[in-house]
Amino acid sequence: MAWMNNVTELIIMGLFQDPEVQRVCFVVFLPVYLATVLGNGLIVLTVSVSESLSSPMYFFLSHLSLMEITYSSTVIPKFITDLLAKTKTIFLEGCVAQIFFFHFFGVTEIFLLMVMAYDHYVAICKPLYYTTIMSRPVCHRLVAGSWLGGFFHSMVQIIATLQLFFCGPNVIDHYFCDLHPLFKLSCTNTSVEGVMVFANSGLFSISSFLQLVSSYIIILVSLRKHSAEGRRKALSICASHITVFLLFFGPAIFLYMQPLSTFTEGKLVAVFYTVVTLMLNPIIYTLRNAEVKNFMRKLWGKKVNSRME
């Protein structure tokens, strides 16, 4: 096991090596992270205090936003502080912990996206049974199942990590800890672990993506039976969701569907789904949702008026 050797600390190469470029990245990514936390936090707050946003769709949206805050916080704070550090290091235990929480929150988010797709399917294809099927206890169970699915997925990743043995090289050519970079440092054959990760991450991502695509094809076909106004509203909601899962799944499938021997560690691609997409999601959901925008205006308008008084 990795804990039985002399490697206790790993060196992270980071995104770029040029100090000037790293300082520019710090100036860029710090506001992006703050915008991610504030934007998603605003959605959580808005849904929690609004009685008009109590439907399952907004219940799942608030959990998705909460998940994105935790997911981004597993990677970005360490990444940002490393941009100002001469030597970027992380203890082996900390590296394994980062892998666990990164995959735990990431896969939980995938399950939540699938739950939201199911909610849209029931709302559009079975509107008469919607309140019965998507009752509050069912919504809680679906969210709990998403967390549980993320936990089991992450445990498989950790089991694969604990089989590795490090005998010398300790430089990770990435800006955070993930399995593929660690596999390249291992002194043992990682073909079995590579297959585990390929099945647990790559095939899981593509199968989840196909399920989501299939569900929205069914939804779009069923919209032909709705009125023009109903189609417009449903398409607006679905378009936001489709945009989010395309931004999330595209880079993830690109990275994890590659065999280990040809894995190029596309760090810039990883930046897209660990940093950029998480910032865009609250913008995508709020800009295309009139109810959320209207309540935010009322909420913050009242606060501004109360302060002026």
Side-chain angles (χ1 to χ4, degrees):
M1 291 176 62
W3 319 110
M4 304 302 291
N5 59 69
N6 294 327
V7 176
T8 59
E9 194 174 58
L10 300 170
I11 298 173
I12 300 174
M13 287 188 64
L15 195 58
F16 300 105
Q17 303 307 308
D18 189 328
E20 289 296 326
V21 176
Q22 291 186 41
R23 282 192 283 271
V24 171
C25 287
F26 177 83
V27 173
V28 171
F29 287 120
L30 179 59
V32 168
Y33 174 63
L34 294 176
T36 300
V37 174
L38 291 174
N40 284 290
L42 183 59
I43 290 178
V44 174
L45 176 63
T46 300
V47 173
S48 63
V49 301
S50 170
E51 294 182 359
S52 61
L53 301 179
S54 59
S55 67
M57 179 178 73
Y58 297 112
F59 174 76
F60 295 134
L61 177 59
S62 66
H63 278 274
L64 181 70
S65 296
L66 179 63
M67 189 57 55
E68 290 185 342
I69 294 173
T70 54
Y71 179 53
S72 62
S73 297
T74 63
V75 171
I76 304 180
K78 168 76 174 152
F79 166 55
I80 291 173
T81 55
D82 281 347
L83 289 171
L84 300 180
K86 290 184 178 180
T87 304
K88 306 167 181 61
T89 60
I90 186 170
F91 287 111
L92 189 58
E93 292 87 349
C95 185
V96 173
Q98 189 178 63
I99 290 172
F100 174 82
F101 287 109
F102 177 72
H103 285 272
F104 175 38
F105 295 132
V107 172
T108 301
E109 180 167 343
I110 291 176
F111 278 119
L112 281 173
L113 288 171
M114 295 173 69
V115 166
M116 292 175 74
Y118 176 69
D119 175 63
H120 294 159
Y121 164 76
V122 176
I124 294 170
C125 299
K126 299 183 178 181
L128 297 178
Y129 303 98
Y130 180 74
T131 54
T132 303
I133 296 174
M134 301 302 296
S135 63
R136 185 60 62 171
V138 170
C139 292
H140 284 294
R141 285 196 290 269
L142 288 171
V143 170
S146 299
W147 282 86
L148 195 61
F151 175 79
F152 283 122
H153 166 89
S154 194
M155 285 304 300
V156 174
Q157 307 294 73
I158 294 304
I159 290 171
T161 304
L162 294 179
Q163 308 308 310
L164 304 180
F165 183 86
F166 304 102
C167 58
N170 67 334
V171 179
I172 297 178
D173 185 16
H174 215 310
Y175 63 91
F176 67 96
C177 285
D178 205 358
L179 288 166
H180 282 296
L182 278 186
F183 284 170
K184 288 197 169 185
L185 300 182
S186 179
C187 301
T188 56
N189 189 315
T190 59
S191 57
V192 175
E193 289 79 8
V195 171
M196 286 176 62
V197 172
F198 179 76
N200 196 38
S201 293
L203 294 181
F204 171 76
S205 296
I206 193 69
S207 63
S208 301
F209 176 78
L210 291 175
Q211 287 182 46
L212 284 167
V213 170
S214 301
S215 67
Y216 278 106
I217 290 175
I218 295 172
I219 289 172
L220 293 175
V221 170
S222 68
L223 283 177
R224 293 181 302 177
K225 304 174 184 177
H226 290 244
S227 64
E229 178 63 22
R231 284 198 300 269
R232 187 197 62 77
K233 186 175 181 180
L235 284 172
S236 177
I237 295 172
C238 292
S240 301
H241 197 64
I242 291 170
T243 303
V244 167
F245 85 70
L246 284 176
L247 289 173
F248 187 86
F249 275 100
I253 291 171
F254 173 80
L255 288 177
Y256 290 104
M257 281 299 290
Q258 297 182 80
L260 180 59
S261 58
T262 62
F263 189 76
T264 58
E265 297 165 17
K267 292 185 279 189
L268 293 176
V269 176
V271 166
F272 198 75
Y273 74 88
T274 58
V275 182
V276 179
T277 300
L278 303 180
M279 180 195 69
L280 293 176
N281 286 357
I283 299 173
I284 293 169
Y285 278 116
T286 53
L287 286 180
R288 297 190 65 90
N289 193 301
E291 288 180 279
V292 175
K293 286 192 294 185
N294 291 336
F295 187 82
M296 282 184 175
R297 290 194 193 101
K298 292 178 183 178
L299 177 65
W300 296 107
K302 288 180 180 178
K303 290 193 174 183
V304 170
N305 291 334
S306 62
R307 286 180 182 177
M308 292 178 64
E309 292 172 0

